[in-house]
Amino acid sequence: FIIAQSGRPGPVVVDIPKDVQQKMFCPVFPATVEIPGEKPVPHASDAELKNVLSLISKAKRPVFYIGGGIIMGEATKELRQFAKLTGVPVAQSLMAMGAFDPQDPQSLYWFGMHGTVAGNWAVCESDLLVCMGARFHDRVTGNVDKFAPEATIVHMDIDHSEFNKNKRADFTVHTDIKYALRRMNAMIAKDGFKKPNLREWFARIDGWKKEHPFPFAYAGKKSIVAADILRTLYEETKGEAIISTGVGQHQMWTAQHYPFDKPRTFISSLGLGTMGFGYPAALGVKVAHPNKQVIDIDGDGSFLMNIQELATAKIEKIPAKVVIINNQVLGMVMQWEDSFYGRNRGNTILGDPKNIGSPENPEALYPDFVAIAKGFGLNGRRIMHKKDLREGIREMLASKESFVLDVIVPNHDHVLPFIPQGKSAKELIVG
């Protein structure tokens, strides 16, 4: 062995016996491996769960706030049953998309920075907020001090480290959520339950829904907008596709305009904020579900992060599809620049900043995603006009291979509603 020593001329040669070499450089594998986690899985006591049911019975303005733990804990069925037994409205984080049917009258759909007006305002004005399998992160709470200020907060989670991290809870319940929901459902069936009278609360919520319907309409625009793409895709797939996304405006528009009523059909990095996640995720999902339509809804910026995975799709014969909502900019950053930084651009334009591509300036569109797809041996199509959108989506869905559908949209649209950073749900921007 030759070892270089600092401060001394030339290397030092060290003779290490072979048996010592083997001990030094041969890997040693342990007989057993322990994965960190709760052991045993925590189960709430009946006394804790009875307290939760008692609080619900007495509440005038209760809301269930559900998160990704409902899906990861395979507790969707139990949650839906619990919601029906109690009659409480349900707001969800993006991680919980599909856990509760957005068409259900009790649904507030998702809330947070770009969520529903009704969901945000209901949580903000609740007198009881039961959080199940979720955390209080800033994209949901906005200004923490103004988040559900009058609510008694119950936080139920398998991860005790999430308790009182950002928002202090009045009651914490350390539990596997599937067990807790199943046990409370059984308690209601056996012991009875005084269902709260929420007629006035729902009248208020329904008024917000009527005044601020979700998602907002983007009708009357000459150019294609994200809502056109996603609503047409939903119609053509009958809502049965599995959708992945990158990170940015397209991610929020997807959650707004493609209703998810089944768990594990919205695949997104969400809290990780991982640009480039969408297409590799779609490839993995398609391998796991070869008989499902799997579509990556992406932005041009996010798709460029892992565009080389088109080679994987071609060579491995994985027909996951791509729809690019192409606005030629890093859209979410642009939205913040427009809203808070006087429209100053910090390298958010992906092409020539003096000649930005758009539906009105097609010659400047950059890069040519259809040409790139063909370079990888795959088909693609660019859509510029509304009249071609449905036909283009049908062509993509019918393809036996991966397919890149590049849809050009304006670069000045914002995702609305929008809670500015540091503001509360009551300061939500609706137009």
Side-chain angles (χ1 to χ4, degrees), residues 96 98 116 121 125 136 139 157 180 193 273 291 358 364 369 378 407 414:
T116 68
W121 288 359
E125 296 193 13
F136 295 97
R139 294 303 172 97
D157 206 289
F193 172 73
N291 296 323
S358 70
F369 286 108
L378 296 169
V407 187
H414 288 187

Side-chain angles (χ1 to χ4, degrees), residues 189-311:
K190 180 182 178 182
D191 303 327
F193 172 73
K194 184 183 177 184
K195 201 171 184 178
N197 184 349
L198 303 180
R199 186 175 300 169
E200 290 185 10
W201 183 221
F202 271 105
R204 198 167 179 186
I205 288 170
D206 292 341
W208 291 331
K209 287 182 178 181
K210 187 176 293 185
E211 184 181 358
H212 301 286
F214 187 85
F216 287 175
Y218 292 85
K221 294 199 175 184
K222 180 180 178 182
S223 300
I224 299 171
V225 294
D228 299 322
I229 301 166
L230 292 158
R231 289 173 182 176
T232 305
L233 182 66
Y234 183 80
E235 290 167 5
E236 291 298 322
T237 60
K238 297 180 174 58
E240 294 296 324
I242 300 176
I243 304 294
S244 68
T245 77
V247 170
Q249 287 181 314
H250 68 275
Q251 181 185 30
M252 299 298 105
W253 279 321
T254 298
Q256 288 182 345
H257 296 284
Y258 194 103
F260 294 91
D261 60 2
K262 301 179 187 66
R264 303 185 190 278
T265 54
F266 178 61
I267 313 297
S268 192
S269 66
L270 298 172
L272 290 176
T274 311
M275 290 180 69
F277 174 89
Y279 193 55
L283 294 175
V285 171
K286 185 63 178 177
V287 170
H289 297 276
N291 296 323
K292 280 278 191 180
Q293 280 283 6
V294 180
I295 304 156
D296 169 32
I297 307 295
D298 229 325
D300 43 326
S302 276
F303 187 55
L304 281 168
M305 294 286 183
N306 274 317
I307 197 168
Q308 76 283 351
E309 295 302 335
L310 289 171

